[in-house]
């Protein structure tokens, strides 16, 4: 039953997401072709300037829409199928309510992370097309050595940090909205307004807690930097690693708190009246 539920959820959301990805791919391909033209790269005509500005504007709006549409669509879909009139049908399924929540969170996470991957692929494709592949010739052993010296860790380690951070950020933002909606639906009236107020309150709590963590981490990072000043690579590793590790630990704690809010409400306090 769980597999069927996941399959149905993907099928129910795939149409909008695939259209969004195809549109992003088309705009990326168009931008790569246009911006790689000789008269545009050499800046020899006013038409070229207009095409460059127009193409970049359309591309940036498309990338912006990629995330906005993904995020808003996943959140609206969650609310409609969990807490609106459609929720009556959802909760008649022969599975636990918490299992339904997990499926929706899992599918939303997959689409959100996939949107991040589409963005990265799009930027790389556009840069490759505009530079006609020449940019990759600049990435050699010297580049990786300079990268390690500056950040204090290898490019592969940096990508690993970045990948984990992207996943945690996606989960963080989804659970923030889901927790806000879960709190809002507890109210008999003005559920959407209550959800917005709950989201604002959770955001304020997050900002206060993260600021405290940043102050503490900033002080400890300063001490680490001072101790490691004899080696630039070691100093960079200490500074960058301290910030990244602290951010990840805080994200995990905040995600756990948001999940517990959703868990308790979904299991015991769903109000569809």
């Amino acid at each position: 039953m769980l597999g069927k539920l996941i399959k149905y959820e993907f099928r129910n959301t795939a149409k909008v997401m695939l259209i969004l990805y195809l549109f992003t791919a088309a705009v990326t391909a168009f931008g790569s072709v246009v911006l790689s033209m000789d008269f545009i790269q050499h800046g020899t005509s006013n038409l070229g300037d207009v095409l460059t500005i127009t193409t970049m504007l359309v591309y940036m709006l498309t990338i912006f829409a990629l995330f906005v549409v993904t995020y808003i669509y996943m959140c609206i879909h969650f609310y409609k199928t969990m807490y609106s009139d459609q929720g009556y049908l959802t909760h008649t399924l022969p599975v636990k309510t918490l299992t339904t929540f997990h499926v929706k969170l899992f599918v939303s996470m997959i689409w959100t992370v996939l949107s991040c991957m589409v963005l990265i692929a799009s930027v790389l494709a556009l840069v490759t097309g505009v530079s006609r592949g020449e940019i990759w010739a600049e990435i050699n052993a010297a580049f990786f050595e300079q990268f390690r010296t500056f950040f204090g860790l290898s490019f592969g380690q940096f990508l690993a940090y970045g990948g984990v951070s992207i996943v945690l950020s996606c989960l963080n933002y989804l659970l923030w909205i889901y927790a806000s909606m879960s709190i809002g639906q507890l109210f008999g009236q003005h559920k959407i307004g209550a959800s917005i107020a709950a989201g604002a309150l959770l955001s304020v709590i997050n900002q206060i807690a993260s600021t405290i963590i940043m102050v503490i981490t900033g002080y400890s990072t300063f001490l680490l930097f001072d101790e490691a000043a004899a080696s630039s690579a070691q100093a960079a590793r200490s500074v960058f690693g301290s910030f990244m590790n602290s951010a990840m630990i805080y994200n995990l704690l905040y995600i756990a708190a948001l999940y517990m809010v959703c868990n308790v409400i979904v299991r015991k306090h769903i109000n569809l009246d």
Side-chain angles (χ1 to χ4, degrees):
M1 185 64 188
L2 179 62
K4 292 181 179 179
L5 195 58
I6 293 175
K7 182 179 179 180
Y8 174 80
E9 191 70 13
F10 271 119
R11 183 183 298 173
N12 201 22
T13 54
K15 184 177 180 180
V16 171
M17 298 308 301
L18 292 179
I19 290 175
L20 183 60
Y21 294 157
L22 287 173
F23 181 75
T24 302
V27 171
T28 301
F30 175 79
S32 298
V33 171
V34 171
L35 296 178
S36 64
M37 294 179 177
D38 288 333
F39 77 96
I40 287 182
Q41 295 208 352
H42 296 154
T44 56
S45 68
N46 292 330
L47 176 60
D49 294 337
V50 172
L51 277 175
T52 299
I53 295 173
T54 303
T55 301
M56 289 305 300
L57 180 61
V58 171
Y59 179 76
M60 288 187 291
L61 289 174
T62 300
I63 294 301
F64 179 74
L66 174 64
F67 278 100
V68 171
V69 172
T70 298
Y71 190 56
I72 292 179
Y73 176 64
M74 288 297 114
C75 293
I76 291 176
H77 176 76
F78 174 82
Y79 185 83
K80 287 177 62 178
T81 56
M82 285 291 288
Y83 299 136
S84 70
D85 292 341
Q86 192 175 338
Y88 286 103
L89 178 61
T90 300
H91 299 310
T92 59
L93 296 173
V95 293
K96 294 181 179 179
T97 307
L98 190 59
T99 300
T100 303
F101 170 79
H102 287 155
V103 168
K104 292 184 180 300
L105 179 61
F106 172 74
V107 172
S108 296
M109 267 295 296
I110 295 296
W111 285 124
T112 307
V113 172
L114 187 57
S115 292
C116 293
M117 295 174 64
V118 170
L119 167 64
I120 294 172
S122 173
V123 172
L124 291 176
L126 186 70
V127 170
T128 300
V130 172
S131 67
R132 300 175 182 177
E134 295 178 0
I135 189 173
W136 304 115
E138 303 295 327
I139 300 179
N140 49 33
F143 167 81
F144 291 111
E145 187 60 34
Q146 291 174 358
F147 188 94
R148 177 183 288 275
T149 300
F150 185 79
F151 286 103
L153 57 155
S154 68
F155 189 70
Q157 291 173 320
F158 178 81
L159 290 179
Y161 266 117
V164 173
S165 296
I166 288 174
V167 172
L168 290 180
S169 294
C170 292
L171 187 56
N172 187 325
Y173 282 112
L174 284 173
L175 280 174
W176 170 51
I177 294 296
Y178 290 2
S180 301
M181 291 178 175
S182 297
I183 294 172
Q185 63 86 38
L186 294 174
F187 292 78
Q189 296 179 338
H190 309 296
K191 293 184 178 182
I192 294 179
S195 298
I196 294 173
L201 179 60
L202 289 174
S203 179
V204 170
I205 294 173
N206 180 33
Q207 291 299 321
I208 294 173
S210 61
T211 300
I212 294 173
I213 295 297
M214 285 180 62
V215 170
I216 296 173
T217 304
Y219 178 71
S220 62
T221 300
F222 174 77
L223 295 179
L224 287 170
F225 182 83
D226 186 56
E227 293 173 0
S231 169
S232 60
Q234 186 179 358
R237 186 182 299 110
S238 299
V239 174
F240 188 77
S242 178
F243 272 116
M244 290 294 292
N245 291 333
S246 298
M248 286 186 182
I249 292 172
Y250 173 75
N251 266 331
L252 286 171
L253 292 174
Y254 187 62
I255 286 169
L258 293 174
Y259 172 78
M260 289 306 300
V261 171
C262 294
N263 185 302
V264 171
I265 294 176
V266 167
R267 285 191 298 112
K268 301 180 179 180
H269 303 290
I270 288 184
N271 175 27
L272 298 180
D273 294 335

